[in-house]
Every structure is written in C-alpha cells, then in structure tokens.
Amino acid sequence: MTKMQKQIKLAKRPIGMPEMEDFAFIDAPIGTPSNGEVLIRTIYISVDPYLRGRMQDAKSYIPPFQLNEVITSGVIGQVVESKSEQFATGDVIIGNLGWQEYSVANEKEIRRINPKQAPVTANLSIIGLTGLTAYFGLLDIGQPKAGETVVVSGAAGAVGSTVGQIAKIKGTRVVGIAGSEEKCRYLLNELGFDAAINYKKEDVPSALEKACPNGIDIYFDNVGGSISDAVFPLLNKYARIPICGAISSYNNVNIDMGPRVQTYLIKTSALMKGFTLGDYSNRFKEGGAALAAWLNEGKLKYEETITEGFDHIIDAFLDLFKGANLGKSLVKVADIM
Amino acid sequence: MTKMQKQIKLAKRPIGMPEMEDFAFIDAPIGTPSNGEVLIRTIYISVDPYLRGRMQDAKSYIPPFQLNEVITSGVIGQVVESKSEQFATGDVIIGNLGWQEYSVANEKEIRRINPKQAPVTANLSIIGLTGLTAYFGLLDIGQPKAGETVVVSGAAGAVGSTVGQIAKIKGTRVVGIAGSEEKCRYLLNELGFDAAINYKKEDVPSALEKACPNGIDIYFDNVGGSISDAVFPLLNKYARIPICGAISSYNNVNIDMGPRVQTYLIKTSALMKGFTLGDYSNRFKEGGAALAAWLNEGKLKYEETITEGFDHIIDAFLDLFKGANLGKSLVKVADIM
C-alpha cells in the first residue's frame, strides 16, 4: 500500500491578507527516490514574509508559486532513504523544499548541516538565510561606521534583530522600531539596542526625532509604509537605506501611496537600494563564517517563534503579518530521530 | 557721487509658485574693491530650478537664502577694477555671485575663463555646472553599459540634454521625456535620442512601455512626480536611478504624494541615489576635461535660452517651471567689452 502524507498547495491567489481558503491541504503519496535522490522527512519549515510576494502572479526576483502546486520555503529535514552517495540515512539537511511531510530531493538541491556546530534551527535563522540577509544588507549597502546612527524597522523580527546586533558590533548607535512593549524590552535588555520605539503606541515621527538627536545615517527597512515615511525627514548627508522588505504593503489591495521620497534623497545625497539575498549568493561562505564566529563569541543572540505541527503552518504564516512573532518563525513538523 | 546699480533681493519666502512680489528690485551703491578683491560687471546670470529650494527656510545641502539679501547663482562677469594680483581689468570670470549689475568679489571666489576655448556661456552650461551635473550623475551613479536602456526626464533641459548625449556616447539606447513636440523633435533630430515622449500629449506609462521594450536600466530623474512614478514598474534587475531634481514638486504647497517605491526597488534590487554637484567637487577637473573634449570632437551639442535684460531675471526664473526653456536658461545683463 502506498504511504500517504499531507501537502499544502496554493489553491487561490490571495487578495489582500491571505485566508485559509487560499490554501489546500492535500493527501498525496510519499515519493520514491531515484538514483542521486534522497527521501527526506520534514523537521522544520521556515515561514517568511517574502513568501506572500510569491503568491501573486507578478514579475519579481523569483517566479511566483503556481496554483495547485506545493508551496516551498526553507526546510530542515532528515534523510530517511538515500539513493545518493553523498547522503546517508539520518543526515540532517537543509534546502528549499515543499510544505509537505516528506520530500524527494536531488542531492544537488540540499546541503548537509552539522547539528553539533549550532542548534539545527539556527541554519534557518541566525546563520542561515535571515542572518545572511541582515549581514549583506547592512554591511554591503549600509556600510556602517562607528558612531553613526542606525535605525531598523521590524527590529524584533529575524532579520531586524540580527541587523541591530551587527550594527552594535560595528560601533553604531542603534534604534529599533517594533510593535509591542515586550519586543521593545527585548531589543533594549537582551540585544543592547540604544533605543526602541513601539510604533503601535508612540507617534513614530516625534519618537524617532527624540531617539536620533544626531539624525539618521542608515535606515534598514523591513516594513515600508508610514513608518518608513517618518525616517526621510531625519536623514543625514550621504545616508544609506537598504530596503529588505515592505511587510506593511504585502497585503495591500490598493496602490500603496505615501509622500514621494525624491526631494529628501536629493537634499541629503542619500542612497536607497533594494536587495534580496540572491544578490550575494557568491559571498554566502564569507557571511556564514562571520555570523557563526559572532554567534560562538556570544556577540549574536537570536529568538525563534516555533509553532508545533504541520496543520498550523498557515497560522504561523499569517501571524507574520500580525507581528505575532519574536525573531524567526518556524514550524516544527517532526522530531529528529 | 556714488554710482548706483540694481539688485534683486528675496523679499518674501514664496508659497507655491513664486510671484513677482516675492522679489524686491533695489537701487544700491556699487561697491569698491579692497586688497585681494575685484569689481565685476555682471554679463550673464544663470537661472536654475535648484534656486527654488534655497528660497525655502529649510535644511538642505546648501543654506537657504536669507530674506532681504541679494540672491546668488552662477554668474559670468568681467573685471572692471582690480585690487588683486591674480586678475586684470578685462578678465572674464565665473563665480557664484549676486543678482546685481556689479559685484565686489574676493579673488578666491572667482575663476578666470578663457573666451577663446569655448563660447563664454558654455562655462555656465555644457562645460560648467549643468554639464558636470549630467556627467557625474549619469556616470558615477548610473554606470551606463553599452546596450542598456537609459530614460531621462526633463530631457530637453540643460542637464537632461547632456545626460542623453553622454548616454549615447556610452552606447546605450536613450529615451527622453519632455514637454512639447518641438522639444521631442530636438531630442530625436538634433541630439540623436532613440525615442522621445511628450508627457503633455502622451500617456507616459504606456508610451514608456512602448519606448522601452527591454525595460529600463537607468532612469536619470530631473522631475519627480507622476512622470517618475511611471518608470518604477519598468525597471530591470539592478536598475540605477540618479536623482538630480524634482522640479515637478518644487512649488508644491501640500505634501507630494505618490505610489511608494520600496517594493519596486526590492523586486529589482534597484538603486536610487540623490546627488548634488558638490558631492563631486574633487573631480571637477576630470569632468570638465571630458566634457570639453567631447564638445571639441562635436559629440556634444547644447542649446541656450537667453533672456535679455536684468529686469527680466525673474521672468526667466519663473519660465523654468513652465518648461519654457530649451537647454540652459541664462539672462544676459551686459555685453563683454
């Protein structure tokens, strides 16, 4: 008898905030690996804001998800059957795999991770994609110099919290913007941010002005929208703005309108640059090594919000847009054997 | 008896489009040079869109004009009395001087120009500030590569027309956006642009899409506003946007609202950077030499809109915002003797 598993497919393209009925939970047979392939049991699934963009049928840096196909994201799994000489049963691996309980993957699509080097989940967060995103966006585009002021939005998220800590390592003054008192306390007390602004309670323009008496040299933008609007009047000459995400607008149905930024950029000769991690794929080794070193030296901390159970993946994904997560959002599907 | 002259001072800070009554025409004594100074008769006065910004009382890259002080801009003049060993009577000079018929200037504030090298007015345009602005914005921020598509707004203006020609020298496909049929014909027939869009007659988003079948790699922005909005959906991966001016918004009384650009920049990893010519002050020699060489080789053409008479300076300035000028706007105040 064929063994069955659960999968999640995109059933409809969401309009505005995604809803449960945009996704289909399907029972499907577990695949069988051919030569050069392995069968993987899913352990952790990464849920990330950027996935919302892939649910639209629009040109972007990665192709959109197709309707009625399994959604994919970063996955940590364990090899349960190997037809590859490079992987053995029991190996813990990482790759961009499906939202399903088991995957068949080619040996070229996955990479072995060492569970003794760091907690396995760190490979999806602080030493993985989100850590690398923070590393390259801040250092390559932001170019922080000691004594400068760095503002981070989405500061308690997986990327933002890493950005702030790297900015502290580089000797800057760091101001985080987040959405709860608990998150702000975390930034100040756990991560050593110099100031934190709760955008849900405070008037962001005046709070930013108070928190940045010397203006803003770098704004690492994870959110877009009105929070970002408040940054532009405070930019210093030659300010840099790495644009990593715009979570505030991902579920917009109407055009996202705000004050135009051109005159602010002219007045300050400021630079704004969008990026995605793929832009730096030839430098992952450098970034991963730096992050692992800082982690081992105790200079980087990270949090994870782990949701238990395959059935709750969509809940965990939707929680991202409610700001419910602290640090990296993951779903735990099974235990490592 | 003290000799008198006319001066123009800022009488009120304009709200919206400047009006005649924002300026005061004053009769004032002609100054007398001290040691190290010269007395200069004004020959040409440059009127430029950026001066509108200096009429506001707002923090920017240069301090605002003070009320009841003489307005300043680029001026070509002739020395009529010298107390400097570096300048002789009759020398033609350039400097940032007042809107007045005669100026007393320190020898360090001015630079001699050679009337035999190029027409003197070229020192205020193609081989002067506007040419250098085009040169550094396009080449340093835009980084054009042969075969790419470059879009220029304000394309028939002093900066835009130079940008388009340098972009052609670099082997790109150049699309200009301008405000009349005459200007579009000039871009196509005189300057060799590949396409021209009359934003007053055409629907800019669809005209741009048609004129840029391979997308947009560089957008040199002189205007901001809805014309610039139309560019973002057509950006290619790693597009560059030098932001030189935003003339469409300089006279806005209300906040200049438009579609937020962050998601477009993320999707394309595009770069937007504001700049002013002062950012490149240590490279003027390089830029001036390159522009003069291209001019002498016949690779650069330029137009001037010259208004006659000191009394018409304000008219010439206001005409900038009506798009009345082709190329560089100058006011001729006197003849070179």
Side-chain angles (χ1 to χ4, degrees):
Chain A
M1 208 184 82
T2 312
K3 281 193 188 162
M4 301 296 280
Q5 64 162 332
K6 283 183 280 191
Q7 296 179 325
I8 301 177
K9 295 186 174 183
L10 186 64
K12 291 194 292 185
R13 299 208 177 274
I15 295 165
M17 178 69 91
E19 295 174 353
M20 275 295 171
E21 63 197 39
D22 297 327
F23 304 94
F25 282 73
I26 307 284
D27 289 310
I30 295 173
T32 310
S34 307
N35 279 341
E37 293 181 338
V38 296
L39 177 65
I40 297 157
R41 188 179 56 247
T42 302
I43 309 291
Y44 289 100
I45 289 178
S46 176
V47 292
D48 305 271
Y50 81 89
L51 297 168
R52 176 66 182 85
R54 296 197 66 189
M55 294 172 188
Q56 301 295 107
D57 188 14
K59 180 185 149 187
S60 187
Y61 57 96
I62 32 174
F65 291 129
Q66 295 303 304
L67 288 180
N68 301 314
E69 296 218 338
V70 176
I71 292 169
T72 61
S73 70
V75 164
I76 288 172
Q78 194 170 20
V79 175
V80 290
E81 185 185 345
S82 178
K83 291 265 178 71
S84 160
E85 292 180 3
Q86 294 172 38
F87 293 91
T89 300
D91 280 355
V92 179
I93 61 87
I94 188 167
N96 196 65
L97 300 173
W99 287 9
Q100 52 196 0
E101 292 173 296
Y102 290 86
S103 291
V104 171
N106 188 284
E107 60 195 10
K108 291 175 186 159
E109 289 179 85
I110 56 176
R111 178 169 63 77
R112 191 184 294 104
I113 59 181
N114 179 358
K116 286 168 192 163
Q117 184 196 33
V120 294
T121 53
N123 291 279
L124 284 175
S125 59
I126 191 78
I127 60 170
L129 300 191
T130 54
L132 291 168
T133 299
Y135 179 91
F136 290 112
L138 178 67
L139 298 184
D140 188 66
I141 302 173
Q143 301 273 343
K145 290 166 206 64
E148 289 190 325
T149 298
V150 178
V151 173
V152 190
S153 60
V159 173
S161 58
T162 312
V163 167
Q165 293 179 87
I166 299 175
K168 287 304 297 176
I169 291 170
K170 296 293 176 182
T172 64
R173 172 180 169 77
V174 178
V175 178
I177 306 174
S180 74
E181 293 299 305
E182 181 203 353
K183 288 178 179 178
C184 286
R185 277 194 302 273
Y186 168 68
L187 299 178
L188 293 170
N189 302 337
E190 299 296 321
L191 303 188
F193 280 44
D194 297 284
I197 295 167
N198 178 353
Y199 72 87
K200 288 191 179 162
K201 278 212 172 162
E202 298 178 66
D203 175 61
V204 176
S206 56
L208 261 182
E209 202 170 346
K210 199 176 145 200
C212 304
N214 299 319
I216 297 170
D217 299 294
I218 298 176
Y219 172 52
F220 192 104
D221 190 3
N222 286 305
V223 304
S226 63
I227 290 175
S228 297
D229 297 343
V231 167
F232 288 91
L234 300 174
L235 293 180
N236 287 334
K237 182 83 181 170
Y238 299 125
R240 290 84 66 196
I241 306 178
I243 308 178
C244 177
I247 195 169
S248 71
S249 75
Y250 290 169
N251 293 314
N252 278 4
V253 176
N254 299 316
I255 292 175
D256 180 32
M257 298 286 283
R260 290 197 180 93
V261 300
Q262 283 89 341
T263 53
Y264 294 110
L265 300 183
I266 297 171
K267 283 180 184 177
T268 56
S269 295
L271 177 149
M272 245 175 124
K273 190 179 180 314
F275 75 102
T276 55
L277 186 54
D279 302 347
Y280 297 98
S281 53
N282 61 347
R283 292 177 57 193
F284 284 1
K285 211 164 183 177
E286 164 206 332
L291 291 163
W294 285 327
L295 188 66
N296 288 332
E297 293 164 19
K299 290 183 180 168
L300 284 184
K301 297 177 182 178
Y302 65 105
E303 289 288 328
E304 293 165 340
T305 297
I306 298 184
T307 303
E308 298 270 342
F310 187 87
D311 292 345
H312 295 115
I313 294 177
I314 304 301
D315 301 311
F317 176 62
L318 298 183
D319 275 352
L320 293 172
F321 301 101
K322 298 171 194 155
N325 58 305
L326 185 67
K328 183 72 191 90
S329 268
L330 302 170
V331 178
K332 186 173 178 186
V333 174
D335 288 310
I336 295 179
M337 299 289 179
Chain B
M1 207 184 84
T2 311
K3 281 194 190 163
M4 301 296 280
Q5 64 161 334
K6 283 182 282 189
Q7 295 179 326
I8 302 176
K9 295 186 174 184
L10 187 64
K12 291 194 292 183
R13 298 207 178 277
I15 295 166
M17 177 69 88
E19 295 174 355
M20 274 295 169
E21 62 197 40
D22 297 326
F23 305 93
F25 282 72
I26 308 284
D27 287 311
I30 294 174
T32 310
S34 307
N35 279 341
E37 293 181 337
V38 295
L39 177 65
I40 297 157
R41 190 178 56 247
T42 302
I43 308 291
Y44 290 100
I45 290 178
S46 176
V47 292
D48 305 272
Y50 81 88
L51 297 168
R52 177 65 183 85
R54 295 198 67 190
M55 294 173 188
Q56 302 295 109
D57 188 16
K59 179 184 151 188
S60 187
Y61 58 96
I62 33 175
F65 291 127
Q66 296 303 304
L67 287 180
N68 301 313
E69 297 220 337
V70 177
I71 292 170
T72 62
S73 70
V75 163
I76 288 171
Q78 194 170 19
V79 176
V80 290
E81 185 185 346
S82 178
K83 292 263 178 73
S84 161
E85 292 180 4
Q86 294 173 40
F87 292 92
T89 301
D91 279 356
V92 179
I93 61 87
I94 187 166
N96 195 66
L97 300 173
W99 286 11
Q100 52 196 1
E101 291 173 297
Y102 289 86
S103 292
V104 171
N106 187 284
E107 59 195 11
K108 290 175 186 159
E109 289 179 85
I110 57 175
R111 177 169 64 78
R112 190 184 295 104
I113 59 180
N114 179 0
K116 286 168 190 161
Q117 185 195 32
V120 294
T121 52
N123 291 278
L124 285 174
S125 59
I126 191 80
I127 60 171
L129 300 191
T130 54
L132 290 168
T133 299
Y135 179 89
F136 291 112
L138 178 66
L139 298 185
D140 188 66
I141 303 172
Q143 301 274 342
K145 290 167 205 64
E148 289 189 325
T149 297
V150 177
V151 173
V152 190
S153 60
V159 173
S161 58
T162 311
V163 167
Q165 292 178 87
I166 299 175
K168 286 303 297 177
I169 291 170
K170 296 294 175 182
T172 64
R173 172 179 169 78
V174 178
V175 177
I177 306 174
S180 74
E181 292 299 305
E182 181 205 353
K183 288 177 178 178
C184 286
R185 276 195 302 272
Y186 168 67
L187 298 177
L188 293 170
N189 301 337
E190 298 296 321
L191 303 188
F193 280 45
D194 298 285
I197 295 168
N198 178 353
Y199 73 87
K200 289 190 179 162
K201 279 211 172 164
E202 298 177 66
D203 175 62
V204 176
S206 57
L208 261 181
E209 201 170 347
K210 199 176 144 199
C212 305
N214 299 319
I216 297 170
D217 299 293
I218 298 176
Y219 172 53
F220 192 104
D221 189 4
N222 287 303
V223 304
S226 62
I227 289 174
S228 297
D229 297 341
V231 166
F232 289 92
L234 299 174
L235 293 180
N236 287 334
K237 182 85 181 170
Y238 298 125
R240 289 84 66 197
I241 305 179
I243 308 178
C244 178
I247 195 169
S248 71
S249 74
Y250 291 169
N251 294 313
N252 278 4
V253 176
N254 298 316
I255 292 175
D256 180 31
M257 300 284 284
R260 290 197 181 92
V261 300
Q262 284 87 343
T263 52
Y264 294 110
L265 299 184
I266 296 171
K267 283 181 185 176
T268 56
S269 295
L271 176 149
M272 247 174 124
K273 189 178 180 315
F275 76 103
T276 57
L277 187 53
D279 302 346
Y280 297 98
S281 53
N282 61 346
R283 290 177 59 193
F284 282 2
K285 211 163 183 177
E286 165 206 332
L291 291 163
W294 285 327
L295 188 65
N296 288 332
E297 292 164 18
K299 290 183 179 167
L300 283 184
K301 298 178 183 179
Y302 66 105
E303 288 289 327
E304 293 165 340
T305 297
I306 298 183
T307 303
E308 297 271 344
F310 187 87
D311 292 345
H312 296 115
I313 293 178
I314 305 300
D315 301 311
F317 176 62
L318 298 182
D319 274 352
L320 293 171
F321 302 101
K322 298 171 193 154
N325 58 305
L326 186 67
K328 183 74 190 86
S329 268
L330 302 169
V331 178
K332 186 173 178 187
V333 175
D335 287 310
I336 295 178
M337 298 290 179

Short mmCIF file of all heavy atoms in Angstrom, two decimals, chain A residues 117-119 126-127 135 165-166 168-170 190 286-302:
data_model
loop_
_atom_site.label_atom_id
_atom_site.label_comp_id
_atom_site.label_asym_id
_atom_site.label_seq_id
_atom_site.Cartn_x
_atom_site.Cartn_y
_atom_site.Cartn_z
N GLN A 117 27.43 21.90 15.48
CA GLN A 117 28.00 23.25 15.35
C GLN A 117 27.10 24.30 15.99
O GLN A 117 27.57 25.24 16.62
CB GLN A 117 28.19 23.56 13.87
CG GLN A 117 28.87 24.89 13.59
CD GLN A 117 28.69 25.31 12.14
OE1 GLN A 117 27.68 25.03 11.52
NE2 GLN A 117 29.71 25.98 11.61
N ALA A 118 25.81 24.13 15.80
CA ALA A 118 24.82 25.09 16.33
C ALA A 118 23.49 24.35 16.36
O ALA A 118 23.33 23.34 15.67
CB ALA A 118 24.76 26.32 15.44
N PRO A 119 22.54 24.83 17.13
CA PRO A 119 21.21 24.21 17.07
C PRO A 119 20.74 24.17 15.61
O PRO A 119 20.97 25.14 14.87
CB PRO A 119 20.34 25.16 17.90
CG PRO A 119 21.29 25.88 18.81
CD PRO A 119 22.58 25.98 18.05
N ILE A 126 19.73 32.54 12.31
CA ILE A 126 20.87 33.43 12.54
C ILE A 126 22.09 33.12 11.66
O ILE A 126 22.78 34.02 11.21
CB ILE A 126 21.25 33.43 14.04
CG1 ILE A 126 22.23 34.53 14.38
CG2 ILE A 126 21.79 32.08 14.48
CD1 ILE A 126 21.62 35.89 14.51
N ILE A 127 22.35 31.83 11.39
CA ILE A 127 23.47 31.52 10.48
C ILE A 127 22.95 31.08 9.11
O ILE A 127 23.70 30.58 8.28
CB ILE A 127 24.45 30.48 11.07
CG1 ILE A 127 23.73 29.16 11.36
CG2 ILE A 127 25.13 31.01 12.32
CD1 ILE A 127 24.69 28.01 11.73
N TYR A 135 23.22 40.49 7.29
CA TYR A 135 24.65 40.72 7.12
C TYR A 135 24.95 41.52 5.85
O TYR A 135 25.60 42.56 5.88
CB TYR A 135 25.37 39.36 7.10
CG TYR A 135 26.87 39.43 6.91
CD1 TYR A 135 27.73 39.49 8.00
CD2 TYR A 135 27.43 39.38 5.64
CE1 TYR A 135 29.11 39.54 7.84
CE2 TYR A 135 28.81 39.42 5.46
CZ TYR A 135 29.64 39.50 6.56
OH TYR A 135 31.00 39.54 6.39
N GLN A 165 22.08 43.91 16.00
CA GLN A 165 23.24 43.40 16.73
C GLN A 165 24.54 43.56 15.93
O GLN A 165 25.59 43.88 16.48
CB GLN A 165 23.02 41.93 17.07
CG GLN A 165 21.90 41.73 18.09
CD GLN A 165 21.68 40.25 18.39
OE1 GLN A 165 22.33 39.67 19.25
NE2 GLN A 165 20.78 39.62 17.65
N ILE A 166 24.46 43.34 14.62
CA ILE A 166 25.67 43.55 13.80
C ILE A 166 26.04 45.04 13.82
O ILE A 166 27.21 45.41 13.90
CB ILE A 166 25.47 43.05 12.35
CG1 ILE A 166 25.18 41.54 12.35
CG2 ILE A 166 26.71 43.35 11.50
CD1 ILE A 166 24.85 40.98 10.97
N LYS A 168 25.55 47.08 16.23
CA LYS A 168 26.23 47.33 17.52
C LYS A 168 27.67 46.83 17.46
O LYS A 168 28.58 47.50 17.95
CB LYS A 168 25.48 46.64 18.67
CG LYS A 168 24.16 47.27 19.09
CD LYS A 168 24.27 48.73 19.49
CE LYS A 168 25.15 48.98 20.70
NZ LYS A 168 25.29 50.44 20.97
N ILE A 169 27.88 45.66 16.89
CA ILE A 169 29.26 45.14 16.76
C ILE A 169 30.12 46.15 16.01
O ILE A 169 31.31 46.33 16.33
CB ILE A 169 29.24 43.77 16.02
CG1 ILE A 169 28.60 42.70 16.90
CG2 ILE A 169 30.66 43.36 15.59
CD1 ILE A 169 28.33 41.37 16.19
N LYS A 170 29.51 46.87 15.05
CA LYS A 170 30.26 47.85 14.25
C LYS A 170 30.37 49.21 14.94
O LYS A 170 30.84 50.19 14.33
CB LYS A 170 29.61 48.01 12.87
CG LYS A 170 29.66 46.74 12.03
CD LYS A 170 31.10 46.40 11.64
CE LYS A 170 31.19 45.09 10.87
NZ LYS A 170 32.59 44.73 10.55
N GLU A 190 17.85 42.64 26.03
CA GLU A 190 18.54 41.42 25.58
C GLU A 190 19.56 41.70 24.49
O GLU A 190 20.64 41.11 24.46
CB GLU A 190 17.52 40.39 25.06
CG GLU A 190 16.51 39.93 26.10
CD GLU A 190 17.18 39.18 27.24
OE1 GLU A 190 18.13 38.41 26.98
OE2 GLU A 190 16.76 39.40 28.40
N GLU A 286 31.53 33.65 3.07
CA GLU A 286 32.05 34.75 3.90
C GLU A 286 31.05 35.13 4.99
O GLU A 286 31.40 35.22 6.17
CB GLU A 286 32.33 35.97 3.00
CG GLU A 286 32.50 37.28 3.75
CD GLU A 286 32.13 38.51 2.90
OE1 GLU A 286 32.25 38.45 1.66
OE2 GLU A 286 31.72 39.53 3.48
N GLY A 287 29.80 35.34 4.58
CA GLY A 287 28.79 35.79 5.54
C GLY A 287 28.50 34.73 6.60
O GLY A 287 28.41 35.04 7.80
N GLY A 288 28.38 33.49 6.16
CA GLY A 288 28.09 32.41 7.10
C GLY A 288 29.21 32.26 8.13
O GLY A 288 28.95 32.05 9.33
N ALA A 289 30.44 32.39 7.68
CA ALA A 289 31.58 32.25 8.59
C ALA A 289 31.59 33.38 9.62
O ALA A 289 31.82 33.16 10.82
CB ALA A 289 32.89 32.26 7.79
N ALA A 290 31.30 34.61 9.16
CA ALA A 290 31.30 35.75 10.08
C ALA A 290 30.19 35.60 11.12
O ALA A 290 30.40 35.83 12.31
CB ALA A 290 31.13 37.05 9.30
N LEU A 291 29.01 35.19 10.66
CA LEU A 291 27.88 35.04 11.59
C LEU A 291 28.15 33.94 12.60
O LEU A 291 27.88 34.09 13.81
CB LEU A 291 26.60 34.73 10.79
CG LEU A 291 26.07 35.89 9.94
CD1 LEU A 291 25.08 35.38 8.90
CD2 LEU A 291 25.42 36.96 10.82
N ALA A 292 28.70 32.80 12.14
CA ALA A 292 28.99 31.69 13.05
C ALA A 292 30.04 32.11 14.09
O ALA A 292 29.93 31.76 15.28
CB ALA A 292 29.48 30.48 12.25
N ALA A 293 31.02 32.89 13.65
CA ALA A 293 32.05 33.34 14.58
C ALA A 293 31.45 34.25 15.65
O ALA A 293 31.69 34.08 16.84
CB ALA A 293 33.16 34.08 13.82
N TRP A 294 30.63 35.21 15.23
CA TRP A 294 29.99 36.11 16.21
C TRP A 294 29.08 35.33 17.16
O TRP A 294 29.01 35.63 18.35
CB TRP A 294 29.19 37.21 15.49
CG TRP A 294 30.04 38.28 14.87
CD1 TRP A 294 31.23 38.76 15.33
CD2 TRP A 294 29.75 39.00 13.67
NE1 TRP A 294 31.70 39.74 14.50
CE2 TRP A 294 30.82 39.92 13.47
CE3 TRP A 294 28.71 38.99 12.74
CZ2 TRP A 294 30.86 40.80 12.39
CZ3 TRP A 294 28.75 39.87 11.67
CH2 TRP A 294 29.81 40.75 11.49
N LEU A 295 28.37 34.34 16.60
CA LEU A 295 27.48 33.52 17.44
C LEU A 295 28.30 32.78 18.50
O LEU A 295 27.95 32.78 19.68
CB LEU A 295 26.72 32.54 16.55
CG LEU A 295 25.61 31.72 17.20
CD1 LEU A 295 24.46 32.62 17.64
CD2 LEU A 295 25.09 30.66 16.22
N ASN A 296 29.42 32.19 18.08
CA ASN A 296 30.26 31.44 19.02
C ASN A 296 30.92 32.34 20.06
O ASN A 296 31.17 31.91 21.19
CB ASN A 296 31.33 30.65 18.26
CG ASN A 296 30.71 29.47 17.52
OD1 ASN A 296 29.68 28.94 17.93
ND2 ASN A 296 31.32 29.08 16.41
N GLU A 297 31.19 33.58 19.66
CA GLU A 297 31.78 34.54 20.61
C GLU A 297 30.73 35.15 21.54
O GLU A 297 31.05 36.01 22.36
CB GLU A 297 32.47 35.67 19.84
CG GLU A 297 33.70 35.24 19.05
CD GLU A 297 34.11 36.29 18.00
OE1 GLU A 297 33.70 37.46 18.13
OE2 GLU A 297 34.83 35.91 17.06
N GLY A 298 29.48 34.76 21.37
CA GLY A 298 28.42 35.30 22.22
C GLY A 298 28.00 36.71 21.84
O GLY A 298 27.31 37.39 22.60
N LYS A 299 28.37 37.16 20.65
CA LYS A 299 28.04 38.54 20.24
C LYS A 299 26.69 38.63 19.54
O LYS A 299 26.19 39.72 19.29
CB LYS A 299 29.14 39.09 19.31
CG LYS A 299 30.45 39.36 20.03
CD LYS A 299 31.47 39.96 19.07
CE LYS A 299 32.78 40.24 19.80
NZ LYS A 299 33.86 40.55 18.84
N LEU A 300 26.15 37.50 19.15
CA LEU A 300 24.85 37.49 18.48
C LEU A 300 23.88 36.60 19.26
O LEU A 300 24.23 35.46 19.60
CB LEU A 300 24.97 36.92 17.06
CG LEU A 300 25.55 37.78 15.96
CD1 LEU A 300 25.48 37.02 14.63
CD2 LEU A 300 24.81 39.11 15.84
N LYS A 301 22.71 37.14 19.53
CA LYS A 301 21.65 36.33 20.13
C LYS A 301 20.52 36.21 19.12
O LYS A 301 20.42 37.02 18.20
CB LYS A 301 21.13 37.01 21.40
CG LYS A 301 22.18 37.16 22.49
CD LYS A 301 21.60 37.90 23.67
CE LYS A 301 22.67 38.08 24.75
NZ LYS A 301 22.15 38.85 25.90
N TYR A 302 19.69 35.20 19.29
CA TYR A 302 18.54 35.12 18.40
C TYR A 302 17.39 34.44 19.10
O TYR A 302 17.57 33.67 20.04
CB TYR A 302 18.90 34.39 17.10
CG TYR A 302 19.26 32.92 17.27
CD1 TYR A 302 18.36 31.92 16.92
CD2 TYR A 302 20.50 32.55 17.78
CE1 TYR A 302 18.70 30.58 17.07
CE2 TYR A 302 20.84 31.23 17.94
CZ TYR A 302 19.93 30.25 17.59
OH TYR A 302 20.27 28.93 17.74
#
